[in-house]
Amino acid sequence: MPASITSPLDQESARIAGEALQATVVDLIDLTLVGKQAHWNVIGPHFRSVHLALDELVTAAREFTDLAAERATSIAVGPDGRAATVAQFSPLAEFPSGWRRDTDVIDAMVDALATLVARLRERIEATDKADQVTQDLLIDIAGRLEQLHWMWQAQQQ
């Protein structure tokens, strides 16, 4: 058995930050999965732009997933990104199988991003006193997802 990882935080702060990071890992993994499902199945007159925008979204989600998981590990909280965990705890609506109109994909991404941004903002507030390093990471993630949310909303017009 490897030596245990110790946290630089007190137990309660590590719990608060760890819960925020774990929930963020779950949210971002599911955003990646939803984004790829949509990417493979989008059709319609705006196929190409939506297809490419989904690549951008998935890349950002994957990068932030890794950062959140590694931050959790650095405070001695083992992240859980297993499929069963994501399925159980993700707040995102299940993205349907099969071909999806580009307008439906855009609407789904706007809704998914709005949901995740709202959850991140709650976590930002919750980690204010517990761990400002984690809070800073969550702020960075929220800022990028808010930017992507704006870009997806602009396609609804």
Side-chain angles (χ1 to χ4, degrees), residues 5-129:
I5 305 298
T6 59
S7 179
L9 304 176
D10 63 69
Q11 188 174 5
E12 181 62 9
S13 294
R15 182 193 65 75
I16 293 167
E19 287 176 1
L21 290 162
Q22 175 58 38
T24 300
V25 166
V26 165
D27 287 358
L28 292 170
I29 289 172
D30 204 24
L31 181 61
T32 298
L33 296 171
V34 167
K36 286 313 280 185
Q37 181 66 25
H39 174 85
W40 298 320
N41 290 286
V42 64
I43 58 173
H46 303 290
F47 160 80
R48 180 134 176 91
S49 63
V50 172
H51 188 76
L52 294 174
L54 287 163
D55 275 338
E56 179 183 11
L57 175 70
V58 167
T59 297
R62 284 180 175 159
E63 289 172 1
F64 283 130
T65 300
D66 196 48
L67 290 172
E70 288 181 358
R71 177 65 191 154
T73 301
S74 72
I75 62 168
V77 175
D80 185 354
R82 296 173 299 162
T85 302
V86 173
Q88 182 178 358
F89 293 107
S90 176
L92 297 182
E94 182 177 339
F95 193 84
S97 63
W99 307 118
R100 294 289 157 227
R101 298 286 310 163
D102 48 13
T103 53
D104 295 337
V105 169
I106 291 167
D107 291 344
M109 293 303 106
V110 167
D111 290 347
L113 287 164
T115 297
L116 298 191
V117 165
R119 288 170 54 91
L120 277 164
R121 286 190 160 275
E122 290 172 2
R123 293 179 203 132
I124 288 166
E125 188 174 320
T127 55
D128 180 47
K129 300 284 190 255

